[in-house]
Amino acid sequence: DAGVIQSPRHEVTEMGQEVTLRCKPISGHNSLFWYRQTMMRGLELLIYFNNNVPIDDSGMPEDRFSAKMPNASFSTLKIQPSEPRDSAVYFCASSFDRYSNQPQHFGDGTRLSIL
Amino acid sequence: AQSVTQPDIHITVSEGASLELRCNYSYGATPYLFWYVQSPGQGLQLLLKYFSGDTLVQGIKGFEAEFKRSQSSFNLRKPSVHWSDAAEYFCAVGYGGATNKLIFGTGTLLAVQP
């Protein structure tokens, strides 16, 4: 079975540009999570969706960040405008939450560098 | 507030030696506990999880972990480390009911000497 698929794997862009990260969760999973990983702050939960609805976006750092989940098989995380401090590895994870104890499965991440 | 502490930032062990990675959590109710491993350039892979029942849980790659409620700990162990175990290990606590929101520790980077 295919795991969580993220694209692109690497992104290098100049500050001020719009960045869009993409995620395809595991088929049948109905919870989706976006994380950011940096050396300074470790793994931080940015936002999570349940049944395509954003449940908690309290981890989104500021209004420059937005996330959408238009359907059960696709989500995007957008940064506009991007800044150098947004450089990090962004992970998407999904889980099947019907029984509230299912683990999250992670994608391989998108390594983002803002110059 | 919920939190997870991994007191060891970096550990080096010799191949074939035993391993124990420490994890302490702070959570008011019975937690869901997880250990994940991250190899360089990769995402996080689930090693094992604890929800209830037997406090000693077995995972993949020969790892096990023991939940000790009295010590608020969930330490990861392996009796004999292989060079391929070199990676970063994350302990996490799940809360929030059906959405299984996770808080991660800061990770322990494991180096294996030949």
Side-chain angles (χ1 to χ4, degrees):
Chain A
D1 290 338
V4 175
I5 300 172
Q6 291 186 247
S7 64
R9 290 296 312 275
H10 303 273
E11 176 87 13
V12 181
T13 191
E14 294 185 346
M15 65 177 294
Q17 297 299 306
E18 178 178 292
V19 173
T20 299
L21 311 182
R22 297 173 177 80
C23 175
K24 177 179 170 56
I26 293 173
S27 178
H29 284 189
N30 58 350
S31 288
L32 184 139
F33 307 80
W34 282 101
Y35 291 89
R36 179 171 66 177
Q37 186 179 38
T38 61
M39 289 292 293
M40 292 297 295
R41 301 174 67 90
L43 267 163
E44 304 174 276
L45 177 65
L46 300 178
I47 185 171
Y48 71 90
F49 296 83
N50 188 247
N51 294 322
N52 311 337
V53 176
I55 303 300
D56 184 350
D57 65 355
S58 59
M60 297 286 262
E62 46 195 283
D63 292 345
R64 297 185 297 106
F65 286 68
S66 63
K68 295 182 179 180
M69 193 165 185
N71 57 62
S73 59
F74 183 66
S75 177
T76 59
L77 177 68
K78 187 173 295 186
I79 309 173
Q80 167 63 20
S82 58
E83 296 183 4
R85 59 194 170 114
D86 301 330
S87 299
V89 181
Y90 291 81
F91 288 103
C92 177
S94 70
S95 70
F96 179 58
D97 77 349
R98 176 170 294 181
Y99 300 104
S100 76
N101 60 4
Q102 296 302 305
Q104 294 177 23
H105 298 263
F106 283 75
D108 286 339
T110 295
R111 184 172 296 276
L112 177 64
S113 297
I114 308 297
L115 307 177
Chain B
Q2 301 87 353
S3 66
V4 178
T5 301
Q6 293 180 248
D8 304 307
I9 296 173
H10 186 270
I11 284 181
T12 300
V13 300
S14 298
E15 191 168 16
S18 63
L19 172 70
E20 183 169 28
L21 302 182
R22 296 182 291 166
C23 173
N24 293 94
Y25 66 90
S26 172
Y27 185 59
T30 300
Y32 300 147
L33 295 163
F34 306 83
W35 275 100
Y36 284 85
V37 60
Q38 184 181 28
S39 298
Q42 302 294 314
L44 279 72
Q45 181 185 19
L46 180 69
L47 284 176
L48 48 77
K49 59 184 185 286
Y50 171 79
F51 297 134
S52 63
D54 192 346
T55 57
L56 184 64
V57 294
Q58 302 297 320
I60 63 171
K61 305 184 180 185
F63 285 91
E64 65 178 26
E66 186 171 12
F67 170 59
K68 293 185 177 180
R69 183 186 302 276
S70 61
Q71 299 177 19
S72 297
S73 69
F74 188 57
N75 293 350
L76 182 72
R77 301 194 294 250
K78 186 169 185 177
S80 177
V81 171
H82 188 263
W83 64 266
S84 60
D85 293 324
E88 190 156 22
Y89 292 79
F90 292 90
C91 181
V93 60
Y95 70 101
T99 51
N100 199 15
K101 197 171 172 179
L102 293 181
I103 290 182
F104 284 88
T106 51
T108 297
L109 185 62
L110 174 66
V112 180
Q113 288 182 335

